[in-house]
Amino acid sequence: MSIASDLDFNAPISTAALPAREKRSKILQALLDADPNLSFEDPLENDMVLNMGPSHPATHGVLRLLLRLDGETVVHCVPELGYLHRGYEKIAENESYHEFIPHTDRLDYLQPMHNNVAYILAVEKLLGIEAPPRAQWVRTLVSELARISSHLVALGVMAMDVGAMTLLLWCFREREKLYDIFDLIAGARFTTSYTRIGGVAQDVDDEALAAIRVFLDQFPERVRECERLLNRNRIFVDRCRNLGVISGADALAAGFTGPNLRGSGIAMDLRRDTPYLVYDQLDFKVITEDECDALSRYYVRLYELYESASIVRQCLDKMPAGPVHAHEPKKVLPRKERIYTRMEELIHDFMIVNFGVNPPAGEVYHAVESSKGQLGFHIVSRGDGHPWRLKIRSPSFYNISVVPRLVKGHLLSDIVAVVGSIDPVMGEADK
């Protein structure tokens, strides 16, 4: 006979077999003595606090947004930084001016060549030297290639955030071509560390110049393909139009710069307003849009791709021949061929490598128009081989500070489109 046949499942439950009350464990007794009458507040009548990030795929890195929601409507938003713990500004104060160059790659890791140029221009301003003409053209060339690379990622990621996956793949395909070009120019694809005090690491050879021309011949049509795919896409346009609206005056007051500011109708561009490198010898338009919303910021970056490609082609056509390193024995590292053949050059190399360049005491600030806005370096010198203080004006830090204003009153799902439209990079925001 089976055990199951002896059991009567319809019989009432008996507590006689349970242990005596005094023998039960304290935890079990506390559970049995608890008041079983529970009541909950209606969640629909209360605000909800929600953490978005710091590891959310749509927050572009380690950005944490602390949200207060009424249903799905954003009542308030507080962005929080500090998860990278890099401390680059303090690192700079303990390294020589040369040693800090690789660290600038990691600020905005989508355009390291542009960061290298911005930092070196500030150092050269402090030293009172200028790179030779060809080096200035090469720096302009690589800065615009870096801008194209950064904008491609911005457009692709913004589209992906609102559900358009194909554009991301197309943009990354074009960026891969640029990384091959960076490899030819600098010998590295991602962290280039290409610029040097007084010039660049090495000249751009004919193979790299030919690869750039091939890229430029194909690139405009690739961008037009992206336009045809997305500009009339009903879902994308409806998700971005009238979203994250900020007027030009408010954007300017809040510290917006770059494409985000130009998307609010303000035609501010350091390349035209305070020319550096050879931008005053180039012909390009400053793209603006007047709708002041997320869609406007998308259009500005899209059309700036054409302008940057035009600038790169002008650089190829106008770039003069000549050296790419300034001859400043006590301020610029001498070339290896001179170190091996001349005692004075060997001594200068020893002094600069071991003790750094010694700029005069004082302070400088130099800013460039990066792909995300005004990127500036403020250096205070006491005449030593390293900065006494170095502060970085990173555009993403200021752009993120405007997010609470942009998302207030919108739905939770709209936050990803707003964040994508301002194109933040945590590497330079959490510096």
Side-chain angles (χ1 to χ4, degrees):
M1 182 178 294
S2 66
I3 297 175
S5 63
D6 295 337
L7 298 177
D8 184 4
F9 293 100
N10 296 322
I13 298 175
S14 173
T15 58
L18 292 177
R21 183 182 182 87
E22 59 273 11
K23 293 182 179 179
R24 296 175 187 172
S25 69
K26 292 182 179 179
I27 296 177
L28 177 58
Q29 190 59 55
L31 180 65
L32 295 176
D33 292 342
D35 183 5
N37 298 318
L38 301 177
S39 63
F40 297 94
E41 295 181 352
D42 186 357
L44 297 179
E45 296 180 354
N46 293 276
D47 294 345
M48 182 174 68
V49 175
L50 180 69
N51 279 293
M52 187 174 177
S55 57
H56 192 285
T59 53
H60 295 217
V62 289
L63 172 64
R64 178 197 182 198
L65 297 175
L66 191 60
L67 305 171
R68 182 180 174 188
L69 302 173
D70 179 6
E72 291 191 34
T73 304
V74 179
V75 177
H76 193 50
C77 170
V78 177
E80 184 183 1
L81 309 176
Y83 291 93
L84 287 178
H85 305 289
R86 285 178 159 176
Y88 276 149
E89 293 173 339
K90 300 308 291 182
I91 290 175
E93 296 167 9
N94 293 280
E95 293 190 343
S96 73
Y97 290 93
H98 272 109
E99 290 172 336
F100 189 63
I101 294 174
H103 293 284
T104 61
D105 293 335
R106 279 79 175 173
L107 289 173
D108 180 356
Y109 35 79
L110 300 180
Q111 52 161 8
M113 282 197 170
H114 211 159
N115 301 341
N116 301 158
V117 172
Y119 167 68
I120 288 300
L121 286 176
V123 175
E124 290 178 352
K125 189 175 183 179
L126 182 66
L127 290 169
I129 64 173
E130 276 193 359
R134 182 173 176 82
Q136 303 279 5
W137 283 90
V138 170
R139 290 175 175 179
T140 307
L141 172 78
V142 298
S143 295
E144 292 306 315
L145 289 175
R147 187 187 314 278
I148 294 174
S149 175
S150 177
H151 278 2
L152 286 173
V153 176
L155 295 175
V157 172
M158 180 184 176
M160 182 188 67
D161 286 343
V162 297
M165 186 71 183
T166 302
L167 193 78
L168 174 76
L169 301 177
W170 288 2
C171 288
F172 270 61
R173 177 195 62 197
E174 297 307 306
R175 191 186 73 146
E176 190 67 17
K177 299 174 184 175
L178 285 174
Y179 275 19
D180 291 340
I181 292 173
F182 293 154
D183 196 7
L184 293 173
I185 295 175
R189 294 166 56 85
F190 196 70
T191 49
T192 51
S193 304
Y194 178 61
T195 312
R196 296 288 186 275
I197 297 175
V200 293
Q202 62 267 342
D203 200 355
V204 182
D205 59 18
D206 293 338
E207 183 182 4
L209 294 176
I212 296 171
R213 289 192 182 278
V214 171
F215 174 80
L216 293 178
D217 291 340
Q218 301 172 351
F219 186 63
E221 180 55 31
R222 301 287 90 80
V223 180
R224 281 191 286 273
E225 288 178 353
C226 296
E227 284 189 69
R228 289 194 291 269
L229 178 70
L230 212 58
N231 284 17
R232 299 181 64 182
N233 185 300
R234 180 70 179 272
I235 298 174
F236 176 77
V237 172
D238 286 353
R239 286 209 61 183
C240 298
R241 179 172 286 163
N242 297 325
L243 180 67
V245 176
I246 183 169
S247 67
D250 289 343
L252 200 59
F256 254 2
T257 53
N260 296 331
L261 181 62
R262 293 192 283 275
S264 293
I266 304 295
M268 179 181 289
D269 191 319
L270 294 180
R271 294 175 296 177
R272 184 199 62 183
D273 301 334
T274 58
Y276 55 94
L277 296 176
V278 295
Y279 282 108
D280 56 345
Q281 304 176 47
L282 299 170
D283 181 26
F284 63 95
K285 299 177 184 175
V286 176
I287 305 297
T288 60
E289 293 286 334
D290 296 328
E291 298 301 322
C292 309
D293 55 6
L295 194 60
S296 292
R297 295 188 278 274
Y298 157 77
Y299 283 137
V300 169
R301 290 190 178 86
L302 179 69
Y303 297 131
E304 282 188 355
L305 290 176
Y306 294 110
E307 295 302 316
S308 291
S310 171
I311 292 174
V312 172
R313 190 176 292 280
Q314 292 177 59
C315 289
L316 293 177
D317 295 338
K318 297 181 179 180
M319 188 183 301
V324 292
H325 310 95
H327 183 62
E328 295 281 350
K330 295 186 178 180
K331 299 176 180 177
V332 178
L333 275 171
R335 308 307 299 168
K336 288 298 180 185
E337 60 272 17
R338 299 176 69 90
I339 296 172
Y340 295 150
T341 55
R342 304 184 183 196
M343 179 56 71
E344 284 190 358
E345 304 284 0
L346 178 62
I347 294 172
H348 291 316
D349 180 79
F350 175 83
M351 296 298 291
I352 292 176
V353 170
N354 287 278
F355 304 103
V357 294
N358 294 304
E363 59 183 301
V364 297
Y365 176 76
H366 193 280
V368 301
E369 187 70 31
S370 81
S371 66
K372 296 172 179 58
Q374 184 182 146
L375 171 64
F377 287 84
H378 179 215
I379 303 175
V380 181
S381 168
R382 285 185 168 180
D384 303 320
H386 55 83
W388 182 67
R389 290 288 183 268
L390 186 144
K391 296 295 178 184
I392 305 169
R393 196 279 181 201
S394 53
S396 289
F397 180 83
Y398 290 89
N399 294 341
I400 289 173
S401 69
V402 192
V403 169
R405 184 181 304 186
L406 300 182
V407 302
K408 188 175 182 179
H410 291 294
L411 297 178
L412 176 63
S413 58
D414 292 332
I415 293 178
V416 294
V418 170
V419 174
S421 72
I422 66 170
D423 186 27
V425 165
M426 291 305 106
E428 66 173 16
D430 180 9
K431 51 190 182 294

